[in-house]
Structure formats: C-alpha cells, structure tokens
Amino acid sequence: MSEVQRRGFLARLTAYEPLTLITLACVAGGLFVLQRLTSEVLEGETFGFDKAILLALRHQGELGVPIGPAWLTHAVSDITSLGGVTVLTLMTVLVTVYLLLDRRWPIAIFVFSSVLTGWLASTLLKILIARPRPDIVPHLVEVSDLSFPSGHAMVSAVTYLTLGALLARTQRYRSTRIFVIGAGVFLAVIIGLSRIYLGVHYPTDVLAGWCAGALWALGCWLISKRFVPSRAPDAAAEAENDDGR
C-alpha cells in the first residue's frame, strides 16, 4: 500500500469512527434494555404496570368497551392492520421490485433479506419467551399466537425502519431522507400503540418489540452503510467519471 493510499484509508476510517462508535453504543444500550425487560417479564415484575395501563384504556364498569369515541376503535383497527403480515409483505415486495427496476440490485436484495430475517427473529423470540396473551381485558381483534415481544410492534419496526433507513440512502436531499425515516418511526409507533389499545398485548410486549425492531433496523443500516452501495452501477460509474474530470 502506497503512502497516498494509506493516508486515504486512515482518513476514511477516521470519518467513520464517530458514527461507528455512536451506533455501537446504541446497539449495546438497546441490547441491555431488551435483556433487562425480558428478565423482568419472565419474573412477573412488570405485571402490575401492564395491568394498570390496560385497565386505564377501558371503561371501569364495562371492560369490553375502550375509552374514547366509537370511531377511534375503528381507526385503531385500521391502523393495526398496517402491521399485519399481508400489508408488510406487499410493502416489502413492492419496494424491492422498485429498487430492482431502478437497477439498485445490491440494496434491493439487502432490503428483502433484512426484513425477512427480522421476521424470523421475531418468531424465534416469541417461541423462546412463550408468554401467553393478556386476559385482563377482552380482545377487540382476534389473535392466536404468543405475546412477547409484540409481533406487530417488532415486525413493523423491522420493516418500516429498515425500509426507511435503507431507502433514505437512495435519496438526494436531506429533507427527503429525514421524512422517509420519520415516516417509518411514526408508523412503527402508532402500530405498537394500537395493539395496547385493542387489548391484545401487554405494554411491555410492545416496548420489547420496538426495542428489538429498532436494534435490527439499526444493525441493517450500519451493515448497508459500510458494505452495500446505494446507487445503481451506471450512476456510480458516472459519479466516478465526474470526480475524475
């Protein structure tokens, strides 16, 4: 390696170091929070907290009726469907096809594989923890699988945050990148809250789902930032030619 190449490598390493350290710190902190939350759930320490919130969202004299106007329940039911398997599958496939048609093969494949493996991780966590669904209040939608972590919260966070973070890398303007990531965060939050309102998840289920999903999306973004090109091959070649002029 020549002196010029060595200096260029050190310059790039220095440029990435702050971002890498911050990201690793976030991942470590998120893993600690997830581990502590899981431990508290397994020991039953969070039941009082979960019960208080679920009961606060229902009328005291009639637990089958949630607080708020009738239209709110209908709206929340629509919102929770945004975190369902059907909607998320369509979203992932459409975004992947768009990236393929835009000749961004590496990031298209990475997006699809990141979301798919995130879904598998969510299923594995459910099986390992095996927490039953809450029976404190009547469920407002039909559910049949396990409770911890919330699949809707985690999978929607995995899907929308991963898609948002990776798609943001393909955008030219900072305002567009901020909007794309912000939209992903907003969708993940309201979907998780909808599961609590409908009575099908404990609040701690949703917190764990958000934490695990955000960790997965953050890890995928860090890997893609380092190893996956965001531009199409032709665009990258043109950019290199322009830099060489």
Side-chain angles (χ1 to χ4, degrees), residues 56-94:
L57 295 175
R58 300 299 175 93
H59 289 285
Q60 295 303 314
E62 194 173 358
L63 295 181
V65 180
I67 60 174
W71 62 262
L72 180 60
T73 303
H74 179 73
V76 171
S77 298
D78 290 339
I79 289 172
T80 205
S81 65
L82 296 175
V85 174
T86 302
V87 173
L88 294 179
T89 299
L90 287 173
M91 180 72 67
T92 303
V93 170
L94 289 174

Short mmCIF file of all heavy atoms in Angstrom, two decimals, residues 56-94:
data_model
loop_
_atom_site.label_atom_id
_atom_site.label_comp_id
_atom_site.label_asym_id
_atom_site.label_seq_id
_atom_site.Cartn_x
_atom_site.Cartn_y
_atom_site.Cartn_z
N ALA A 56 -56.66 1.14 32.34
CA ALA A 56 -56.88 2.57 32.15
C ALA A 56 -57.46 2.89 30.78
O ALA A 56 -58.08 3.94 30.59
CB ALA A 56 -55.57 3.32 32.35
N LEU A 57 -57.28 1.98 29.82
CA LEU A 57 -57.79 2.20 28.47
C LEU A 57 -59.20 1.65 28.27
O LEU A 57 -59.72 1.67 27.15
CB LEU A 57 -56.85 1.55 27.46
CG LEU A 57 -55.45 2.16 27.38
CD1 LEU A 57 -54.56 1.35 26.44
CD2 LEU A 57 -55.51 3.62 26.91
N ARG A 58 -59.82 1.13 29.33
CA ARG A 58 -61.18 0.60 29.25
C ARG A 58 -62.08 1.28 30.28
O ARG A 58 -61.60 1.78 31.32
CB ARG A 58 -61.18 -0.92 29.50
CG ARG A 58 -60.35 -1.71 28.51
CD ARG A 58 -60.86 -1.55 27.08
NE ARG A 58 -60.01 -2.21 26.10
CZ ARG A 58 -60.19 -3.45 25.68
NH1 ARG A 58 -61.19 -4.18 26.16
NH2 ARG A 58 -59.39 -3.96 24.76
N HIS A 59 -63.39 1.29 30.00
CA HIS A 59 -64.36 1.80 30.97
C HIS A 59 -64.43 0.85 32.16
O HIS A 59 -64.54 -0.37 31.99
CB HIS A 59 -65.73 1.93 30.32
CG HIS A 59 -65.82 3.05 29.32
ND1 HIS A 59 -65.90 4.37 29.69
CD2 HIS A 59 -65.83 3.04 27.96
CE1 HIS A 59 -65.95 5.14 28.61
NE2 HIS A 59 -65.91 4.34 27.54
N GLN A 60 -64.37 1.41 33.36
CA GLN A 60 -64.28 0.59 34.57
C GLN A 60 -65.49 -0.34 34.75
O GLN A 60 -65.36 -1.46 35.20
CB GLN A 60 -64.14 1.49 35.80
CG GLN A 60 -62.84 2.29 35.82
CD GLN A 60 -61.61 1.39 35.74
OE1 GLN A 60 -61.53 0.38 36.44
NE2 GLN A 60 -60.65 1.75 34.89
N GLY A 61 -66.65 0.15 34.37
CA GLY A 61 -67.83 -0.69 34.55
C GLY A 61 -68.05 -1.69 33.45
O GLY A 61 -68.86 -2.63 33.61
N GLU A 62 -67.35 -1.53 32.33
CA GLU A 62 -67.54 -2.42 31.18
C GLU A 62 -66.20 -2.55 30.45
O GLU A 62 -65.87 -1.76 29.57
CB GLU A 62 -68.61 -1.86 30.25
CG GLU A 62 -69.11 -2.87 29.23
CD GLU A 62 -70.30 -2.34 28.44
OE1 GLU A 62 -70.74 -1.20 28.73
OE2 GLU A 62 -70.77 -3.06 27.54
N LEU A 63 -65.42 -3.56 30.81
CA LEU A 63 -64.05 -3.70 30.30
C LEU A 63 -64.00 -4.02 28.82
O LEU A 63 -62.94 -3.88 28.20
CB LEU A 63 -63.33 -4.79 31.10
CG LEU A 63 -63.09 -4.50 32.58
CD1 LEU A 63 -62.35 -5.66 33.24
CD2 LEU A 63 -62.35 -3.19 32.77
N GLY A 64 -65.11 -4.43 28.23
CA GLY A 64 -65.12 -4.71 26.80
C GLY A 64 -65.24 -3.47 25.95
O GLY A 64 -65.16 -3.55 24.71
N VAL A 65 -65.42 -2.30 26.58
CA VAL A 65 -65.59 -1.05 25.85
C VAL A 65 -64.39 -0.15 26.11
O VAL A 65 -64.14 0.25 27.25
CB VAL A 65 -66.88 -0.32 26.28
CG1 VAL A 65 -67.04 0.98 25.52
CG2 VAL A 65 -68.09 -1.22 26.08
N PRO A 66 -63.60 0.18 25.06
CA PRO A 66 -62.43 1.05 25.27
C PRO A 66 -62.85 2.50 25.45
O PRO A 66 -63.96 2.90 25.07
CB PRO A 66 -61.64 0.86 23.97
CG PRO A 66 -62.68 0.53 22.94
CD PRO A 66 -63.73 -0.27 23.66
N ILE A 67 -61.95 3.27 26.04
CA ILE A 67 -62.22 4.70 26.21
C ILE A 67 -62.16 5.39 24.85
O ILE A 67 -61.55 4.90 23.91
CB ILE A 67 -61.22 5.34 27.17
CG1 ILE A 67 -59.79 5.20 26.63
CG2 ILE A 67 -61.32 4.75 28.56
CD1 ILE A 67 -58.73 5.94 27.45
N GLY A 68 -62.83 6.55 24.76
CA GLY A 68 -62.80 7.30 23.53
C GLY A 68 -64.05 7.08 22.69
O GLY A 68 -64.85 6.17 22.98
N PRO A 69 -64.22 7.87 21.64
CA PRO A 69 -65.40 7.73 20.78
C PRO A 69 -65.37 6.43 19.98
O PRO A 69 -64.33 5.79 19.85
CB PRO A 69 -65.29 8.95 19.86
CG PRO A 69 -63.83 9.30 19.86
CD PRO A 69 -63.33 8.95 21.23
N ALA A 70 -66.52 6.08 19.42
CA ALA A 70 -66.64 4.82 18.68
C ALA A 70 -65.74 4.80 17.44
O ALA A 70 -65.19 3.75 17.09
CB ALA A 70 -68.10 4.59 18.29
N TRP A 71 -65.58 5.96 16.80
CA TRP A 71 -64.77 5.98 15.57
C TRP A 71 -63.30 5.69 15.86
O TRP A 71 -62.56 5.23 14.99
CB TRP A 71 -64.90 7.32 14.87
CG TRP A 71 -64.43 8.51 15.66
CD1 TRP A 71 -65.19 9.37 16.39
CD2 TRP A 71 -63.07 8.96 15.80
NE1 TRP A 71 -64.40 10.33 16.98
CE2 TRP A 71 -63.10 10.12 16.62
CE3 TRP A 71 -61.85 8.53 15.31
CZ2 TRP A 71 -61.95 10.82 16.98
CZ3 TRP A 71 -60.69 9.22 15.65
CH2 TRP A 71 -60.75 10.35 16.48
N LEU A 72 -62.87 5.96 17.10
CA LEU A 72 -61.47 5.73 17.43
C LEU A 72 -61.13 4.24 17.38
O LEU A 72 -60.06 3.86 16.90
CB LEU A 72 -61.17 6.30 18.82
CG LEU A 72 -59.73 6.13 19.32
CD1 LEU A 72 -58.75 6.82 18.38
CD2 LEU A 72 -59.58 6.67 20.74
N THR A 73 -62.04 3.42 17.87
CA THR A 73 -61.80 1.97 17.83
C THR A 73 -61.68 1.48 16.40
O THR A 73 -60.82 0.65 16.08
CB THR A 73 -62.94 1.23 18.55
OG1 THR A 73 -63.04 1.70 19.89
CG2 THR A 73 -62.67 -0.28 18.57
N HIS A 74 -62.55 2.00 15.53
CA HIS A 74 -62.48 1.62 14.12
C HIS A 74 -61.16 2.08 13.50
O HIS A 74 -60.52 1.33 12.75
CB HIS A 74 -63.66 2.22 13.37
CG HIS A 74 -63.68 1.90 11.91
ND1 HIS A 74 -64.00 0.65 11.41
CD2 HIS A 74 -63.38 2.67 10.82
CE1 HIS A 74 -63.91 0.65 10.10
NE2 HIS A 74 -63.54 1.86 9.71
N ALA A 75 -60.74 3.30 13.83
CA ALA A 75 -59.49 3.84 13.28
C ALA A 75 -58.29 3.03 13.76
O ALA A 75 -57.38 2.72 12.99
CB ALA A 75 -59.33 5.30 13.67
N VAL A 76 -58.30 2.67 15.04
CA VAL A 76 -57.19 1.89 15.60
C VAL A 76 -57.12 0.51 14.95
O VAL A 76 -56.03 -0.02 14.68
CB VAL A 76 -57.32 1.78 17.13
CG1 VAL A 76 -56.30 0.80 17.69
CG2 VAL A 76 -57.13 3.14 17.78
N SER A 77 -58.28 -0.08 14.67
CA SER A 77 -58.30 -1.38 13.99
C SER A 77 -57.71 -1.27 12.59
O SER A 77 -57.01 -2.19 12.14
CB SER A 77 -59.75 -1.89 13.91
OG SER A 77 -60.28 -2.09 15.20
N ASP A 78 -57.96 -0.16 11.91
CA ASP A 78 -57.36 0.05 10.60
C ASP A 78 -55.85 0.24 10.71
O ASP A 78 -55.07 -0.28 9.90
CB ASP A 78 -57.98 1.27 9.91
CG ASP A 78 -59.42 1.03 9.48
OD1 ASP A 78 -59.79 -0.15 9.34
OD2 ASP A 78 -60.15 2.01 9.28
N ILE A 79 -55.44 0.99 11.73
CA ILE A 79 -54.01 1.25 11.91
C ILE A 79 -53.26 -0.04 12.22
O ILE A 79 -52.17 -0.28 11.68
CB ILE A 79 -53.79 2.27 13.05
CG1 ILE A 79 -54.26 3.66 12.60
CG2 ILE A 79 -52.33 2.32 13.47
CD1 ILE A 79 -54.27 4.69 13.72
N THR A 80 -53.83 -0.89 13.06
CA THR A 80 -53.13 -2.12 13.44
C THR A 80 -52.94 -3.05 12.25
O THR A 80 -51.99 -3.84 12.22
CB THR A 80 -53.89 -2.84 14.57
OG1 THR A 80 -52.98 -3.65 15.31
CG2 THR A 80 -55.03 -3.72 14.05
N SER A 81 -53.81 -2.94 11.23
CA SER A 81 -53.65 -3.78 10.04
C SER A 81 -52.42 -3.40 9.24
O SER A 81 -51.91 -4.21 8.45
CB SER A 81 -54.90 -3.69 9.15
OG SER A 81 -55.06 -2.37 8.63
N LEU A 82 -51.91 -2.18 9.44
CA LEU A 82 -50.69 -1.77 8.75
C LEU A 82 -49.48 -2.57 9.23
O LEU A 82 -48.45 -2.60 8.55
CB LEU A 82 -50.43 -0.28 8.97
CG LEU A 82 -51.46 0.68 8.40
CD1 LEU A 82 -51.13 2.12 8.80
CD2 LEU A 82 -51.52 0.57 6.87
N GLY A 83 -49.60 -3.21 10.38
CA GLY A 83 -48.52 -4.05 10.89
C GLY A 83 -48.77 -5.52 10.67
O GLY A 83 -48.01 -6.35 11.20
N GLY A 84 -49.80 -5.85 9.91
CA GLY A 84 -50.10 -7.24 9.63
C GLY A 84 -49.19 -7.82 8.56
O GLY A 84 -48.54 -7.10 7.79
N VAL A 85 -49.15 -9.14 8.50
CA VAL A 85 -48.26 -9.83 7.57
C VAL A 85 -48.58 -9.46 6.12
O VAL A 85 -47.67 -9.24 5.31
CB VAL A 85 -48.35 -11.35 7.77
CG1 VAL A 85 -47.53 -12.08 6.72
CG2 VAL A 85 -47.86 -11.73 9.17
N THR A 86 -49.86 -9.37 5.78
CA THR A 86 -50.24 -9.10 4.39
C THR A 86 -49.73 -7.74 3.92
O THR A 86 -49.11 -7.62 2.86
CB THR A 86 -51.77 -9.16 4.24
OG1 THR A 86 -52.24 -10.45 4.64
CG2 THR A 86 -52.17 -8.91 2.79
N VAL A 87 -50.02 -6.70 4.72
CA VAL A 87 -49.61 -5.34 4.34
C VAL A 87 -48.08 -5.22 4.29
O VAL A 87 -47.52 -4.65 3.34
CB VAL A 87 -50.20 -4.31 5.31
CG1 VAL A 87 -49.64 -2.91 5.01
CG2 VAL A 87 -51.72 -4.30 5.21
N LEU A 88 -47.41 -5.77 5.29
CA LEU A 88 -45.96 -5.65 5.33
C LEU A 88 -45.30 -6.45 4.20
O LEU A 88 -44.28 -6.02 3.65
CB LEU A 88 -45.43 -6.13 6.69
CG LEU A 88 -45.82 -5.28 7.89
CD1 LEU A 88 -45.27 -5.87 9.18
CD2 LEU A 88 -45.35 -3.84 7.73
N THR A 89 -45.87 -7.57 3.86
CA THR A 89 -45.33 -8.35 2.73
C THR A 89 -45.48 -7.58 1.44
O THR A 89 -44.53 -7.50 0.63
CB THR A 89 -46.06 -9.70 2.63
OG1 THR A 89 -45.85 -10.45 3.83
CG2 THR A 89 -45.52 -10.51 1.45
N LEU A 90 -46.66 -7.01 1.21
CA LEU A 90 -46.87 -6.21 0.00
C LEU A 90 -45.91 -5.03 -0.05
O LEU A 90 -45.33 -4.73 -1.10
CB LEU A 90 -48.32 -5.71 -0.05
CG LEU A 90 -49.38 -6.76 -0.39
CD1 LEU A 90 -50.78 -6.16 -0.22
CD2 LEU A 90 -49.20 -7.28 -1.80
N MET A 91 -45.75 -4.35 1.08
CA MET A 91 -44.85 -3.20 1.15
C MET A 91 -43.41 -3.60 0.81
O MET A 91 -42.74 -2.94 0.00
CB MET A 91 -44.91 -2.59 2.55
CG MET A 91 -44.02 -1.37 2.74
SD MET A 91 -44.63 0.08 1.90
CE MET A 91 -46.13 0.38 2.84
N THR A 92 -42.95 -4.68 1.41
CA THR A 92 -41.58 -5.13 1.18
C THR A 92 -41.36 -5.55 -0.27
O THR A 92 -40.36 -5.19 -0.89
CB THR A 92 -41.24 -6.29 2.12
OG1 THR A 92 -41.45 -5.89 3.48
CG2 THR A 92 -39.80 -6.73 1.94
N VAL A 93 -42.30 -6.30 -0.81
CA VAL A 93 -42.17 -6.78 -2.20
C VAL A 93 -42.20 -5.60 -3.17
O VAL A 93 -41.38 -5.54 -4.11
CB VAL A 93 -43.29 -7.78 -2.52
CG1 VAL A 93 -43.32 -8.09 -4.02
CG2 VAL A 93 -43.10 -9.06 -1.73
N LEU A 94 -43.10 -4.65 -2.96
CA LEU A 94 -43.19 -3.51 -3.87
C LEU A 94 -41.92 -2.65 -3.82
O LEU A 94 -41.42 -2.22 -4.87
CB LEU A 94 -44.41 -2.65 -3.51
CG LEU A 94 -45.77 -3.26 -3.82
CD1 LEU A 94 -46.89 -2.37 -3.30
CD2 LEU A 94 -45.94 -3.47 -5.32
#
